[in-house]
Amino acid sequence: QVQLVESGGGLVQPGGSLRLSCAAAGFTLDYYAIGWFRQAPGKEREGVSCISSSGGSTYYADSVKGRFTISRDNAKNTVYLQMNSLKPEDTGVYYCATDKARMPCGVVRALALDRSRGYWGQGTQVTVSS
């Protein structure tokens, strides 16, 4: 059974850091571009970052550029999202996802608009508050 499992969320003060993990079970991440998405209360799910299958190419939403870093360790079948200088507007449920057809980041980024195309984790809550 294909499964993605996110972890690492929590409550952090503004300016703090968190590292999210996305672990795969039932399949190998090596051939998949992986995206991170988030959904704040009352808002649409949005793409945050994406990393190519090789790790050689990354994408960041303008709102997180310079603060978030995506990486992957294929040996551990895991993708990470290092989040620094967190702001209250970063609060939300964070999800990782990949396209079922192993499409690149240009397609993975659009999964927020058509979730049925992807494999999704259950999400991890990130709350940035003082």
Side-chain angles (χ1 to χ4, degrees):
Q1 181 181 356
V2 173
Q3 194 174 9
L4 293 171
V5 180
E6 302 95 336
S7 61
L11 173 63
V12 63
Q13 292 186 341
S17 298
L18 284 173
R19 188 176 81 156
L20 305 183
S21 298
C22 171
F27 72 111
T28 302
L29 282 180
D30 293 27
Y31 305 111
Y32 292 84
I34 304 295
W36 281 99
F37 301 79
R38 66 186 180 189
Q39 188 163 17
K43 293 190 176 181
E44 296 291 321
R45 193 170 297 189
E46 63 175 352
V48 172
S49 184
C50 187
I51 188 166
S52 64
S53 57
S54 68
S57 179
T58 57
Y59 158 82
Y60 298 95
D62 288 343
S63 58
V64 306
K65 277 182 183 176
R67 300 189 298 122
F68 289 12
T69 303
I70 192 170
S71 62
R72 65 190 300 154
D73 185 340
N74 286 347
K76 294 183 178 180
N77 222 22
T78 302
V79 171
Y80 305 97
L81 186 68
Q82 177 67 42
M83 306 188 296
N84 299 328
S85 303
L86 283 162
K87 305 176 181 179
E89 51 263 44
D90 293 318
T91 294
V93 179
Y94 282 69
Y95 302 88
C96 62
T98 187
D99 185 88
K100 294 177 181 178
R102 304 184 185 181
M103 299 301 282
C105 276
V107 175
V108 170
R109 288 163 49 188
L111 286 178
L113 302 176
D114 185 3
R115 298 178 198 176
S116 66
R117 291 177 54 97
Y119 298 122
W120 291 85
Q122 81 291 346
T124 185
Q125 176 71 44
V126 172
T127 303
V128 185
S129 175
S130 55

